[in-house]
Amino acid sequence: STDLMSTVGYDSIIQHLNDGRKNCKEFEDFLKERAIIEEKYGKELINLSKKKPCGQTELNTLKRSLDVFKQQIDNVGQGHIQLAQTLREEAKKMEDFREKQKLHRKKIELIMEAIHKNRNLQYKKTMEVKQTCCCFLPCGTTGGASLLHLPSLSHFWQLFLKLAQTKSALEDSDRSYQQSVTTLEKILEEWQKEHIKACEFFESQECERISYFRNSLWLHTNQLSLGCVQNDEKYDEIRKSLEVCSIEKDIDFFINLRKTGSLAPAPVVYENYYNTQRNVTPARSPAPVPISR
């Protein structure tokens, strides 16, 4: 800024850096919230797979497929819990990075605050000395003009002494003013150097922050993608187990497990208990017929 006392540009940079730090904090909080959701979801899946019956009376190959199904659902739940822990670790890394940048930037900000204060004080002092020098001029000019209208010699010497004192004070003020300007120039030169160094440091920090933020977001996306791939692998185990699930084998297994024999019951034969004297030739009982599958 053309205004020597203005810090509008510097303040704009600091505001931008603070906004960047706030954005990192928001992403950090997002990861923490996502971790809570993943952990809760994972625990619910594990509880579901362990406590909820799912075809518990099935037999043979389909039973094995259901066992694989429940085990892989449990594994998926464990995977979500592990992902939750990974997200918390990433959030902690973001927090550490954010606090590290804040600590480093604070040192530069303290230097800039001190040099701004020193610059402003010296500028104010210089302007006060300058004002003092300006105030002496009318007095000296009036004193010189009054020499033409002196009523007596004593008044002349009094005015001459006063003029000499004024001139001496003016010279002292002028020297003080020159020294103040020289000091201010040195302070301004130091301020400009520190300001440039601060801007370069802030730019470096902002580049580092954007790079870290971008990489962190990329890593988070990869973690989610990896979780999906791992989940698909677990689900693929379920598909593989279902591929070997055989309807015929399960039916045969059930028959062999529960079978009671291969012959049908013998037919019921009539027996005459009413007339025991009647010579009745009983009908021949047919042989048991084997039962096919």
Side-chain angles (χ1 to χ4, degrees):
S1 173
T2 55
D3 182 5
L4 183 61
M5 304 289 282
S6 174
T7 58
V8 60
Y10 176 81
D11 294 340
S12 178
I13 294 175
I14 295 300
Q15 181 62 47
H16 178 73
L17 295 176
N18 289 335
D19 290 342
R21 182 169 177 268
K22 179 183 177 183
N23 293 336
C24 289
K25 180 64 167 61
E26 290 175 351
F27 182 63
E28 173 191 327
D29 293 339
F30 181 90
L31 291 179
K32 290 179 180 179
E33 290 293 328
R34 179 65 187 266
I36 293 174
I37 294 172
E38 291 291 342
E39 183 176 46
K40 182 179 179 181
Y41 180 56
K43 290 181 177 179
E44 291 293 336
L45 284 179
I46 293 173
N47 290 334
L48 179 64
S49 66
K50 290 182 177 179
K51 297 180 179 180
K52 189 69 175 177
C54 185
Q56 59 184 352
T57 61
E58 286 293 345
L59 302 173
N60 205 31
T61 61
L62 182 56
K63 176 177 174 56
R64 288 195 292 271
S65 294
L66 287 171
D67 290 341
V68 173
F69 167 73
K70 295 190 69 175
Q71 181 59 50
Q72 294 306 324
I73 292 299
D74 183 278
N75 291 341
V76 170
Q78 295 289 352
H80 282 283
I81 292 177
Q82 292 175 2
L83 177 59
Q85 181 60 31
T86 300
L87 295 180
R88 289 192 178 95
E89 292 173 357
E90 290 302 317
K92 185 63 170 63
K93 291 179 182 178
M94 178 62 78
E95 180 183 5
D96 293 341
F97 171 79
R98 184 169 49 82
E99 291 300 320
K100 179 182 177 181
Q101 276 211 331
K102 177 185 177 183
L103 182 63
H104 290 174
R105 191 169 74 239
K106 189 64 177 177
K107 298 176 182 178
I108 303 299
E109 290 181 16
L110 290 175
I111 293 175
M112 293 303 296
E113 288 176 5
I115 203 165
H116 283 162
K117 182 178 180 180
N118 189 26
R119 178 200 64 184
N120 295 345
L121 289 175
Q122 185 61 35
Y123 180 77
K124 182 179 179 181
K125 178 181 178 182
T126 301
M127 293 301 101
E128 289 176 349
V129 174
K130 178 181 179 181
Q131 186 64 27
T132 302
C133 291
C134 292
C135 289
F136 276 117
L137 292 179
C139 177
T141 303
T142 304
S146 62
L147 290 175
L148 302 176
H149 307 284
L150 294 178
S152 64
L153 187 61
S154 61
H155 289 165
F156 169 79
W157 286 113
Q158 290 177 1
L159 188 58
F160 182 80
L161 181 60
K162 182 177 180 181
L163 181 61
Q165 293 173 346
T166 301
K167 182 180 179 182
S168 176
L170 181 60
E171 291 174 351
D172 291 340
S173 297
D174 184 66
R175 284 193 297 270
S176 179
Y177 176 44
Q178 290 180 6
Q179 291 175 356
S180 294
V181 170
T182 302
T183 302
L184 179 59
E185 288 178 352
K186 293 180 180 180
I187 291 176
L188 292 179
E189 183 179 356
E190 181 185 3
W191 160 62
Q192 289 178 351
K193 290 180 180 180
E194 291 297 331
H195 184 81
I196 293 173
K197 287 169 59 178
C199 287
E200 290 174 347
F201 174 79
F202 292 151
E203 181 178 358
S204 174
Q205 267 209 333
E206 182 64 2
C207 291
E208 183 184 13
R209 185 193 69 83
I210 294 175
S211 176
Y212 189 89
F213 200 155
R214 174 183 177 274
N215 292 340
S216 182
L217 190 58
W218 193 300
L219 177 62
H220 175 59
T221 304
N222 287 344
Q223 289 168 346
L224 297 179
S225 179
L226 178 61
C228 292
V229 172
Q230 292 175 341
N231 286 346
D232 188 64
E233 291 175 354
K234 297 177 179 67
Y235 297 140
D236 193 51
E237 292 297 321
I238 300 173
R239 289 189 286 267
K240 290 178 181 179
S241 70
L242 291 173
E243 287 176 354
V244 298
C245 177
S246 170
I247 299 174
E248 292 78 6
K249 289 181 180 179
D250 286 0
I251 296 297
D252 288 342
F253 182 84
F254 171 74
I255 291 174
N256 293 328
L257 180 68
R258 303 299 184 188
K259 67 182 179 180
T260 56
S262 59
L263 299 177
V268 178
V269 178
Y270 170 76
E271 296 184 33
N272 186 0
Y273 295 100
Y274 175 71
N275 187 357
T276 59
Q277 300 299 322
R278 182 183 301 177
N279 186 12
V280 179
T281 301
R284 181 181 297 177
S285 299
V289 179
I291 300 175
S292 65
R293 179 180 178 278

